Amino acid sequence: MIRKRLKHLALLAALLLTVSGLAGCQTTSTTAETSTTSAPSPIAAPSNLFARLVEYSSVDMDASWDATSTTKISLNGSSAAIDGSGASVSGSTVSITAAGTYVLKGTLSDGQIIVSAGEKDKVRLVLNGVNLTCFNSAPIYTKHADKTIITLAAGTTNSVTDGSNYNYASGEDEPDAAIFCKTDLTINGTGTLTVNGNYKNGIGTKDDLVITGGNITVTAVNDGLRGRDSVAVKDGSLTIQAKGDGIQANNDENANKGWISLDGGTFIIKADKDGIQAETTLQINGGNFSLTTGGGYANATTQARNDFPGARNNTAATQGDTTSAKALKGGTGVAISNGFFTINSADDAIHSNVDVYIKGGTFNISTGDDAIHADSHVIIDAGTINVARSYEGIEGAFITINGGDIHLISSDDGINAAGGNDGSGQQPGRGNFSSAGNYEVRITGGYIYIDAGGDGLDSNGSLNIDGGTIIVNGPTNNGDGPLDYDGISNITGGILVAVGSSGMAQAPGASSSQNSLLVYYSTAQKAGALVNLSDEAGNSLLTFAPSKTYQSIVISLPELQQGKTYTLSSGGSCNGQNVDGLYTGGKYISGTKLTNVTLTSALTSISDNGSLVTGRGTMGGAPGGQTGKGGQPGGSGPAPGNVRR
């Protein structure tokens, strides 16, 4: 997120990722030697983020029961009849006082099922076609037991509805959900359950909430599901509409509690606040998720902002400084290994106050703020991440990308390494991020495409690239750059193509083991105008079609060698395959030769007429002409400053 308040001399870092060889009007990739200079390695993210949080017991998974040994409870409007032991009825209140299985059927128009069993007793309530309503308290309320298991009988439809006001004894504030347990609660089976939480929460427990099956629909004026100590879901279909959080684990007094583990199932959640919020760790190992929070990205308001002299008017989501409307939120960590996610959030899509670690999954994200945010580490090892809308794509103090297929569209920075605490509100003015420090972006593999209105790839510390493929369509204004770093930048392998404005243009540093070419254009080039780089034999090493107006380009490929001469051309066409502007295969034809360039160092900077540009490329600032204003490219001016002819 962070936009530097004063962009003094910002150093440019180019990203590079390894990919298979290309040909024709394409880019080729091989392995490059390791750089001898690199930034200090950040502390690794905790490996225990993926330590298993829950073991589902046989009781949790078993939805069967022996009809011959159960107590049957027939609900008859304002009364009930009991066949068996362990339960009694008084008016419209059914009390269960012993371990066992209780099969409920019928309608209770204004009454309660109260469980007050022993501390070691397990009580199973089989909902076998029931409609429970209680206007002044929770229709199902467990006061005492070791665990309550609610089994949804196959082929049945069940409903539980509370009223908008509860009657409490003096000094009490519980229950506070239509289904409420002071101890552990498990829901299993294959039947259907509809819960209407008209007072506060839909389903709540003060200990652990486990769901291993069922088709469950919850509507709540506060939180949909709440397990104070934990929430674990193995299977089932959950549809939740909540004016608070969709799913919440809120124990903030014990570092080993307050977690959520989602290991399968289908989740359709619309929440005014957070979609899924864990006080400590949120771990997702599978499932299908459709999450809408805060009314979605379109509900995030915008405001103009001028960070620094000459900056463009930028817009950023500002739904509010106090309302958190994040889709996936883990206080101390978010760990995702699998799953399918469709996210439409007014606030961050994926957020942690500490670390975010993604090892797999498919994500389709539209957000009014950051797509992925961590105050400390963001680590991506694998997965398919498509961000259609964001303020910033990925933000954290230390960002490491080892793999995956990532497409980011952002109104501000695409990837941003910065430090501080972002709080719960939205940009701008939502946090205390600093603009310089020992931060790092490190890319070792994968495929990354960035379309950014601000800096494309921004590190307020170091930028290191060891492999993969990185394509950046950066800003059109000269207050930002396609690449932007404040520390050092090294590239040792992969493919990097970064285009955008020229005012703050940077490239990987001179200590890199892989060579880079930075080209400044004397005038702005039209979107779609091809850039082609060919070797001495006329073989195309790269053909690229920028998606926006541009006045600079950084190219770094394993094939680039010092002492070799290359031909830079513009325009023309290519009949190869175009993916994200990068062509593979085919032939480049009818282009206009701009210049020949001989690489003289790890970073060679030239103007489009071939003149060498010194003192630029690892320092911010436009070569010649005026710095762009309000989103316009820098002036054409004379040849770039500090030119050696």
Side-chain angles (χ1 to χ4, degrees):
M1 155 227 127
I2 178 152
R3 310 252 342 105
K4 298 185 176 85
R5 295 294 180 208
L6 228 65
K7 284 203 167 177
H8 47 293
L9 301 172
L11 305 173
L12 152 38
L15 280 167
L16 208 183
L17 296 161
T18 57
V19 88
S20 58
L22 314 172
C25 38
Q26 66 201 0
T27 307
T28 326
S29 171
T30 60
T31 303
E33 60 188 273
T34 304
S35 171
T36 57
T37 306
S38 62
S41 297
I43 299 173
S47 59
N48 62 2
L49 274 180
F50 284 100
R52 190 165 183 82
L53 295 172
V54 59
E55 292 292 341
Y56 297 93
S57 69
S58 58
V59 173
D60 295 328
M61 300 298 298
D62 186 7
S64 64
W65 72 92
D66 183 358
T68 63
S69 59
T70 65
T71 296
K72 299 176 178 62
I73 302 175
S74 299
L75 307 175
N76 304 304
S78 59
S79 63
I82 297 174
D83 180 8
S85 61
S88 61
V89 60
S90 175
S92 59
T93 299
V94 175
S95 297
I96 296 172
T97 57
T101 298
Y102 301 82
V103 181
L104 293 83
K105 188 172 185 178
T107 298
L108 195 61
S109 56
D110 185 14
Q112 278 185 295
I113 309 299
I114 296 178
V115 177
S116 294
E119 292 184 357
K120 296 183 179 180
D121 289 343
K122 290 179 173 60
V123 174
R124 183 189 298 271
L125 304 178
V126 179
L127 304 189
N128 193 31
V130 301
N131 294 287
L132 304 177
T133 302
C134 184
F135 293 118
N136 59 11
S137 189
I140 297 178
Y141 179 18
T142 296
K143 294 182 177 181
H144 304 288
D146 173 51
K147 175 180 284 190
T148 299
I149 304 101
I150 295 178
T151 296
L152 307 176
T156 65
T157 299
N158 308 276
S159 68
V160 177
T161 303
D162 65 4
S164 57
N165 291 289
Y166 280 15
N167 293 334
Y168 290 125
S170 178
E172 293 187 359
D173 58 1
E174 295 173 345
D176 61 5
I179 298 177
F180 183 83
C181 292
K182 287 189 173 183
T183 56
D184 296 341
L185 170 64
T186 291
I187 300 176
N188 62 23
T190 60
T192 297
L193 172 64
T194 299
V195 178
N196 300 300
N198 296 310
Y199 175 61
K200 283 188 178 180
N201 306 316
I203 300 173
T205 172
K206 295 188 71 175
D207 288 343
D208 301 323
L209 172 60
V210 175
I211 297 174
T212 63
N215 299 296
I216 303 169
T217 299
V218 179
T219 303
V221 298
N222 192 38
D223 300 333
L225 305 182
R226 177 189 283 184
R228 175 167 172 77
D229 287 351
S230 71
V231 177
V233 179
K234 175 69 172 177
D235 200 356
S237 176
L238 285 81
T239 301
I240 300 171
Q241 185 156 347
K243 292 185 178 179
D245 295 343
I247 301 176
Q248 182 191 94
N250 65 331
N251 190 325
D252 58 359
E253 298 175 351
N254 187 328
N256 296 318
K257 298 182 178 180
W259 52 262
I260 295 175
S261 180
L262 305 177
D263 304 297
T266 299
F267 303 80
I268 301 173
I269 298 176
K270 292 184 178 180
D272 288 1
K273 295 182 180 179
D274 296 326
I276 301 171
Q277 189 260 326
E279 190 68 30
T280 54
T281 299
L282 169 59
Q283 188 179 109
I284 301 178
N285 300 307
N288 290 274
F289 300 81
S290 175
L291 310 176
T292 302
T293 62
Y297 77 90
N299 200 43
T301 59
T302 60
Q303 75 179 45
R305 181 167 67 94
N306 289 303
D307 292 45
F308 52 90
R312 73 192 183 286
N313 285 332
N314 193 19
T315 58
T318 56
Q319 185 197 29
D321 292 334
T322 58
T323 300
S324 179
K326 299 170 175 61
L328 301 172
K329 179 180 176 182
T332 59
V334 174
I336 302 173
S337 63
N338 205 349
F340 296 87
F341 303 83
T342 300
I343 296 175
N344 182 6
S345 60
D347 204 341
D348 294 347
I350 303 172
H351 174 98
S352 175
N353 295 341
V354 186
D355 301 317
V356 171
Y357 196 167
I358 297 174
K359 293 172 63 174
T362 299
F363 304 81
N364 293 292
I365 296 173
S366 293
T367 173
D369 209 343
D370 300 343
I372 302 172
H373 173 96
D375 287 0
S376 186
H377 294 81
V378 174
I379 300 175
I380 300 174
D381 285 345
T384 300
I385 301 172
N386 296 303
V387 179
R389 298 176 179 85
S390 68
Y391 178 68
E392 291 200 338
I394 301 174
E395 181 180 61
F398 303 102
I399 299 172
T400 302
I401 299 175
N402 300 312
D405 188 337
I406 302 170
H407 283 69
L408 304 176
I409 299 176
S410 63
S411 61
D412 198 60
D413 298 345
I415 295 177
N416 182 33
N421 185 338
D422 125 304
S424 63
Q426 299 164 335
Q427 284 284 9
R430 67 180 165 116
N432 302 310
F433 270 74
S434 58
S435 60
N438 185 29
Y439 312 121
E440 182 185 32
V441 173
R442 180 176 291 274
I443 299 174
T444 68
Y447 181 94
I448 302 171
Y449 173 85
I450 297 172
D451 184 331
D455 296 322
L457 186 58
D458 183 1
S459 177
N460 293 283
S462 60
L463 173 61
N464 294 291
I465 302 161
D466 302 314
T469 298
I470 302 165
I471 300 172
V472 178
N473 283 284
T476 58
N477 74 90
N478 277 313
D480 294 298
L483 304 176
D484 183 9
Y485 59 90
D486 288 339
I488 63 172
S489 176
N490 286 313
I491 184 166
T492 67
I495 298 170
L496 170 65
V497 184
V499 298
S501 56
S502 62
M504 305 298 292
Q506 291 180 278
S511 60
S512 298
S513 63
Q514 178 167 296
N515 300 306
S516 301
L517 173 65
L518 169 58
V519 180
Y520 294 100
Y521 292 86
S522 56
T523 59
Q525 305 297 296
K526 293 182 179 179
L530 296 185
V531 178
N532 178 265
L533 189 68
S534 299
D535 64 15
E536 293 173 332
N539 300 312
S540 290
L541 300 180
L542 177 135
T543 301
F544 181 67
S547 66
K548 295 183 286 188
T549 300
Y550 64 99
Q551 204 163 352
S552 72
I553 184 168
V554 175
I555 301 170
S556 186
L557 309 170
E559 295 75 27
L560 297 182
Q561 299 179 43
Q562 294 179 35
K564 297 290 186 179
T565 299
Y566 301 91
T567 300
L568 179 71
S569 301
S570 180
S573 63
C574 180
N575 58 9
Q577 183 180 9
N578 180 346
V579 177
D580 295 325
L582 189 64
Y583 283 85
T584 57
K587 185 177 181 180
Y588 174 73
I589 58 174
S590 303
T592 300
K593 176 182 174 180
L594 297 180
T595 186
N596 289 330
V597 55
T598 300
L599 301 189
T600 57
S601 64
L603 172 59
T604 301
S605 299
I606 63 168
S607 66
D608 55 0
N609 65 5
S611 302
L612 290 177
V613 178
T614 60
R616 303 292 181 185
T618 56
M619 302 287 285
Q626 295 290 322
T627 297
K629 307 288 185 180
Q632 298 302 316
S636 56
N642 295 330
V643 170
R644 185 177 64 204
R645 299 190 181 281

